[in-house]
Amino acid sequence: MESISRISNLLESARELTLDAAQAARSTRGTTTRSLPMAQLKKLLDSRNDREVLEGLRRVISMMYRQQRTLPYFSSVVKNVASPHLEIKKLVYIYLIHHAEQEPDMALLSINTIQKSLSDTNPQVRALALRTMSGIRVPVISQIVSLAIKKGAGDMSPHVRKAAALAIPKCYRLEPNTLPQLLEYLTTLLADKQYFVAGAAVSAFMEICPERIDLIHKHYRSLIKKIVDMDEWSQLATLRMMTVYARKCFPRRTRSAKAKDKAADLQDFYGEGVSEPAEEAEQVVVLDPDLVMLLNGIKPLLQSRNSGVVIAVARCYAEIGTPEYTTAAVGPLIALLRGAQDIGQIALYNIVSVCLNHPTAFVKHASHFLVRATDTAPVWELKLEVLTLIFPHSPLHTKSLILNELEHFSRGTNKSLVREAVRAIGRCALADPATASRCMRLLLGQITSLDGTLAAESLTVIRHIIQKDPQAHMGTVVRLAKNLDSATDPHAHATIVWLVGEFAGLNGDDNIAADVLRILLKEFAAESEVAKRQIVLLAAKVYLHHINRESEKQKKETEDDQTPPSPTSDHPITRLWDYTLLLVRYDTSYDLRDRTRLYKALLGVPQLATLMLLAPKPAPHAPSPSETRKGFMLGSSALVLAGGGGVHGLRGYEPLPDWVEEGEEPDPKLRAQDGVRNEYGEERRAVPASDMLGDSSRGGMGKSNGLAAGTGAKTLSDWLAEDEDEEGEAGSEEDDEVEESEEESEEESEEEEEDDDDENDDDDVDGESQYEENNERAELEGFLND
């Protein structure tokens, strides 16, 4: 009969497997996506067969995610919440979470059943029930959810405890008044030994009470040890929390040290040693031991497969570490460029932010920032920016490589890329004056380009370089003046005229400005309005320089004459100015005529005109485009969008707090652990090696393997301070003990031989093992006495 029943069971199992396989095949062919009539679907949900109920639930959930109306099935679905079938229970819970707010009264009917599931023998069911109860957003059940979290926080299964930790923020959003109770549960979960429970507790902590760092003190060191094993989301929350904690608990201490001895004398923690002279001393950051523990503990996370974790570690090193730690994160950050295109772009924003403060760390990785043909516009813009940032810190061959790269793209067909390449060349020239001449040659070659935008951009950069050192670029201005006819772009034309006007006062009457003005006035009517403005300004500057030179000559001839000098009307420069006024009088631009009247009035008072028109212009500063992002945290959305809430409407960005002042930090003893806990949660004290040696010398090896720490134990100094006489006495006592043990063993062996007929073989084995144990114990005691 047993064989027949076994065969029938096997056949039934085979039938079940066949039906499941057929169902899976139908689902892969897409038959479940076809909508059934409402009556037929309710019939499946009301069926007593689990397979039919499961089929109906799958169809309802599929409709729900296709944005179809599924609320009419609420009663039919929810009544299956008591089903013992795990798959059915999961689907019912998903439906219940999605529609509980729309039908709160009917959702409350299932709370009792879900509460019963909190006591189920299966931990997966308990965790699922807790997750569902916290996901039902009905404020009436807030206290029930709080009690469920309390029960889950003390559950034997770590998966249930993790579900309790994740339910804490949901309960807080449901009813903020439950915060005191939730803080008690959170304190318990933060101390959990399981890393994934502690990680979920940290995520809940950062969501409901990130300012309560007093809850973290006693768990600080244990969380550092667990962070490597946590999941990626918990690692991100823990790294964020640890960064804020470090700013609030570890003051930024520095000490003076010689540059060559920076790594020496690290024991001088507070810098109380001999002070060095100011010109030879350098401020070195001194890190707290607990902060060093954090920075070293998160270093393995640089190899994480999650790009967010790598950036979070780099943020910790950049915000609370030293440049040495930041340099260690450069390689993993660059490795992110080999990932997907969107990840590489976000990584570049963070790389540029780090490079603004630590450009030297990226010099050896310059080849990774060469532009590729497949790069999008934001990517190559950021790459060119990195190249310009590391340019002044690079060796000669790297500088040559960067300039060759920029020169190649400045002659391309992509106008946006050409413009950015020209700007990058200008930033390189301003950052490193030694390469300014080569950059100038590259830019001058773009002036005659048919592309007016490129020529105008090149001239703007040339103007910045010339203003940096005007005396060294007189020849450049003359060369630009010769190319006035070839500059077809109005802005390029206007820029050259402005540069000629800036140098109109050099070399006195030998300056080319007056002759350039004469040539420009011939075609004044055909010029663009932008160029006309600069021509009028050039005429005013040339005439003002002429007035000043004439006044100085008259002062030398008649030093006592106080009457203001007046230029002769027959001088060529005076005639050029009068001709300019005449041309502008009949121009169609009202703005140009008003400007000319202003210049004419100013020139009536030469001293005022000199202050207004000939004032020295400061050299323009061409900052890196990402200077506006400086100060935003790595990994934040505000860093990528460059401006946060003010520009793009983003809200929620919270900067890191300032470093705590020295003397106001919490007591470091709060982070000390009370004791080492064993696997059952019981405390056990770590016994020093000297105590173990002292106990073993008094025969303590017989109990607790010599690890018991008794009172009056010998210390290591006592062992080292023993005299040779005591060692001799100890040796003699050892010999006596060995002889006594040998005599006892001989007597025992004789007795065993006499009783050999009455005893069995097992007793002989026991006697021999006892003999060997006595000999080993005597030898070990003698070794310890020595």
Side-chain angles (χ1 to χ4, degrees):
M1 293 297 294
E2 291 183 2
S3 60
I4 295 175
S5 61
R6 186 179 301 173
I7 292 172
S8 62
N9 290 335
L10 292 175
L11 291 174
E12 183 66 23
S13 300
R15 178 176 175 274
E16 295 288 338
L17 292 174
T18 304
L19 291 175
D20 291 341
Q23 179 66 33
R26 285 199 302 271
S27 62
T28 56
R29 289 195 300 267
T31 55
T32 56
T33 60
R34 291 184 304 174
S35 59
L36 294 178
M38 185 175 180
Q40 186 175 352
L41 192 53
K42 279 191 174 183
K43 183 179 179 180
L44 288 175
L45 295 173
D46 297 336
S47 175
R48 295 180 178 273
N49 189 349
D50 290 345
R51 184 176 293 103
E52 293 181 355
V53 174
L54 188 60
E55 173 67 18
L57 287 172
R58 286 173 178 169
R59 290 180 179 274
V60 170
I61 299 299
S62 176
M63 293 169 60
M64 184 178 70
Y65 285 111
R66 294 201 306 270
Q67 304 297 324
Q68 296 180 8
R69 182 175 172 81
T70 55
L71 191 60
Y73 305 104
F74 194 92
S75 58
S76 300
V77 172
V78 172
K79 70 180 181 181
N80 291 304
V81 73
S83 174
H85 198 284
L86 184 58
E87 295 298 326
I88 294 177
K89 195 181 291 288
K90 287 181 180 179
L91 295 178
V92 173
Y93 284 166
I94 292 173
Y95 181 89
L96 189 60
I97 291 174
H98 194 269
H99 290 293
E101 284 184 292
Q102 300 173 359
E103 291 287 345
D105 296 333
M106 295 187 66
L108 292 177
L109 299 177
S110 62
I111 294 298
N112 291 333
T113 306
I114 298 175
Q115 278 186 298
K116 292 179 182 179
S117 299
L118 293 174
S119 303
D120 196 276
T121 55
N122 188 351
Q124 187 177 2
V125 174
R126 299 199 300 271
L128 190 60
L130 181 56
R131 190 178 301 116
T132 304
M133 185 176 292
S134 61
I136 298 176
R137 293 177 292 273
V138 181
V140 180
I141 64 171
S142 59
Q143 291 299 326
I144 300 177
V145 175
S146 177
L147 294 175
I149 294 173
K150 180 180 180 181
K151 185 175 182 180
D155 198 277
M156 293 293 293
S157 172
H159 298 283
V160 181
R161 298 198 298 273
K162 178 182 179 181
L166 295 175
I168 288 177
K170 301 177 183 177
C171 184
Y172 176 73
R173 289 194 295 267
L174 195 64
E175 182 55 58
N177 294 330
T178 58
L179 181 61
Q181 306 169 17
L182 298 178
L183 289 180
E184 296 179 7
Y185 312 150
L186 186 60
T187 305
T188 303
L189 294 169
L190 284 171
D192 200 287
K193 295 193 306 176
Q194 293 293 335
Y195 57 87
F196 50 87
V197 178
V202 172
S203 301
F205 170 84
M206 291 301 295
E207 191 163 347
I208 67 171
C209 56
E211 71 285 349
R212 290 289 305 274
I213 60 171
D214 55 301
L215 302 177
I216 305 298
H217 290 318
K218 57 183 178 181
H219 310 301
Y220 174 80
R221 296 175 183 173
S222 62
L223 288 175
I224 292 175
K225 296 177 182 178
K226 297 171 186 174
I227 190 172
V228 179
D229 299 318
M230 294 178 183
D231 60 275
E232 287 87 350
W233 296 108
S234 299
Q235 287 172 350
L236 291 173
T238 307
L239 288 170
R240 166 75 179 182
M241 184 265 294
M242 287 297 181
T243 307
V244 176
Y245 183 90
R247 284 292 188 97
K248 291 185 177 181
C249 297
F250 303 121
R252 200 66 165 175
R253 298 189 180 99
T254 58
R255 66 178 178 86
S256 299
K258 291 183 178 180
K260 60 180 180 180
D261 298 333
K262 192 183 298 183
D265 196 18
L266 294 178
Q267 301 299 325
D268 187 13
F269 187 81
Y270 292 99
E272 296 177 353
V274 180
S275 60
E276 297 291 339
E279 61 274 11
E280 298 181 0
E282 184 178 353
Q283 294 297 321
V284 180
V285 177
V286 180
L287 300 178
D288 189 275
D290 281 332
L291 181 55
V292 174
M293 179 183 180
L294 169 63
L295 296 175
N296 292 334
I298 63 177
K299 188 172 291 186
L301 297 181
L302 290 173
Q303 311 301 324
S304 174
R305 62 182 180 181
N306 190 298
S307 57
V309 174
V310 176
I311 293 176
V313 176
R315 179 182 65 227
C316 284
Y317 284 166
E319 300 293 347
I320 63 177
T322 58
E324 290 77 12
Y325 285 102
T326 306
T327 303
V330 169
L333 281 176
I334 293 177
L336 298 178
L337 300 178
R338 295 193 291 267
Q341 191 174 23
D342 53 347
I343 294 178
Q345 181 177 340
I346 300 300
L348 272 172
Y349 281 107
N350 293 274
I351 288 173
V352 171
S353 182
V354 176
C355 192
L356 287 172
N357 298 318
H358 306 281
T360 55
F362 293 88
V363 171
K364 61 181 180 180
H365 305 287
S367 60
H368 291 85
F369 302 104
L370 300 179
V371 180
R372 299 181 180 179
T374 57
D375 290 339
T376 58
V379 170
W380 52 250
E381 285 179 4
L382 293 169
K383 284 187 175 182
L384 292 180
E385 186 174 356
V386 174
L387 291 177
T388 56
L389 287 173
I390 67 176
F391 181 81
H393 308 278
S394 303
L396 290 177
H397 67 277
T398 305
K399 290 181 180 179
S400 179
L401 172 66
I402 294 174
L403 288 179
N404 290 336
E405 180 82 358
L406 297 177
E407 181 183 5
H408 170 73
F409 289 112
S410 66
R411 297 175 179 173
T413 57
N414 189 340
K415 292 185 178 181
S416 300
L417 181 57
V418 168
R419 182 171 58 252
E420 290 298 326
V422 170
R423 292 177 180 175
I425 292 174
R427 292 199 297 271
C428 291
L430 294 175
D432 187 9
T435 59
S437 58
R438 180 179 177 183
C439 295
M440 183 66 76
R441 288 196 301 271
L442 295 177
L443 295 172
L444 289 174
Q446 308 292 340
I447 296 175
T448 57
S449 174
L450 297 177
D451 186 1
T453 304
L454 173 59
E457 198 66 44
S458 301
L459 281 170
T460 302
V461 176
I462 290 172
R463 177 171 60 85
H464 291 175
I465 298 175
I466 292 176
Q467 285 185 263
K468 194 78 173 178
D469 187 9
Q471 299 297 332
H473 295 92
M474 280 296 300
T476 305
V477 177
V478 175
R479 181 177 176 181
L480 290 174
K482 293 179 180 179
N483 291 318
L484 269 172
D485 296 335
S486 59
T488 57
D489 185 73
H491 292 278
H493 202 75
T495 302
I496 296 176
V497 174
W498 184 87
L499 284 172
V500 173
E502 283 296 301
F503 289 85
L506 298 179
N507 299 331
D509 294 333
D510 296 333
N511 197 281
I512 64 169
D515 196 47
V516 171
L517 176 62
R518 179 184 62 83
I519 297 173
L520 291 172
L521 291 177
K522 291 180 180 180
E523 301 293 336
F524 182 81
E527 296 284 353
S528 63
E529 186 174 352
V530 178
K532 287 180 180 179
R533 293 173 187 172
Q534 297 302 327
I535 293 172
V536 172
L537 180 59
L538 173 62
K541 289 180 179 179
V542 170
Y543 183 61
L544 180 58
H545 284 297
H546 173 66
I547 293 175
N548 292 336
R549 286 194 297 268
E550 291 295 326
S551 65
E552 289 181 1
K553 290 180 181 179
Q554 293 181 9
K555 283 183 180 180
K556 290 180 181 179
E557 295 175 357
T558 58
E559 296 181 355
D560 298 335
D561 190 4
Q562 300 297 329
T563 58
S566 58
T568 57
S569 59
D570 57 347
H571 195 278
I573 294 180
T574 306
R575 293 179 180 179
L576 285 175
W577 172 244
D578 294 337
Y579 184 58
T580 304
L581 295 178
L582 186 62
L583 289 173
V584 175
R585 179 184 300 177
Y586 299 102
D587 195 86
T588 58
S589 174
Y590 291 96
D591 179 65
L592 186 61
R593 296 204 295 264
D594 292 340
R595 285 172 181 267
T596 307
R597 292 192 193 99
L598 175 63
Y599 295 151
K600 183 178 180 181
L602 279 176
L603 291 173
V605 186
Q607 294 82 1
L608 181 60
T610 302
L611 292 176
M612 296 291 291
L613 299 180
L614 303 182
K617 278 74 174 178
H621 176 61
S624 180
S626 293
E627 287 288 341
T628 56
R629 300 186 181 94
K630 203 169 185 180
F632 291 105
M633 284 193 304
L634 296 181
S636 63
S637 300
L639 174 67
V640 176
L641 298 177
V647 177
H648 299 277
L650 278 182
R651 292 179 295 178
Y653 174 78
E654 296 180 1
L656 287 176
D658 296 330
W659 289 96
V660 64
E661 296 293 335
E662 191 168 357
E664 298 180 3
E665 71 275 11
D667 189 359
K669 294 180 181 179
L670 295 174
R671 292 187 291 273
Q673 296 178 343
D674 297 333
V676 182
R677 296 182 180 272
N678 58 17
E679 58 190 307
Y680 302 103
E682 301 172 352
E683 287 191 5
R684 58 180 178 84
R685 189 170 65 88
V687 183
S690 59
D691 292 352
M692 291 191 288
L693 288 174
D695 292 338
S696 63
S697 66
R698 291 189 298 275
M701 295 295 292
K703 61 177 181 177
S704 300
N705 294 329
L707 299 178
T711 57
K714 288 186 178 181
T715 62
L716 189 57
S717 355
D718 296 335
W719 285 96
L720 297 176
E722 286 183 351
D723 298 330
E724 295 181 358
D725 297 338
E726 295 178 357
E727 292 179 357
E729 292 176 1
S732 61
E733 292 176 359
E734 174 201 352
D735 295 338
D736 295 339
E737 292 176 358
V738 173
E739 290 177 1
E740 291 176 0
S741 61
E742 290 178 354
E743 291 176 359
E744 292 176 358
S745 61
E746 290 177 359
E747 292 176 359
E748 291 176 358
S749 61
E750 290 176 359
E751 292 176 359
E752 290 175 359
E753 290 177 358
E754 292 175 358
D755 300 335
D756 187 32
D757 296 335
D758 300 333
E759 297 179 353
N760 53 20
D761 295 338
D762 294 338
D763 295 335
D764 294 337
V765 174
D766 293 340
E768 292 176 1
S769 62
Q770 183 69 26
Y771 175 79
E772 293 176 356
E773 182 180 355
N774 291 337
N775 283 340
E776 291 176 359
R777 182 176 298 175
E779 291 176 0
L780 184 58
E781 291 178 0
F783 173 78
L784 292 174
N785 290 330
D786 289 338

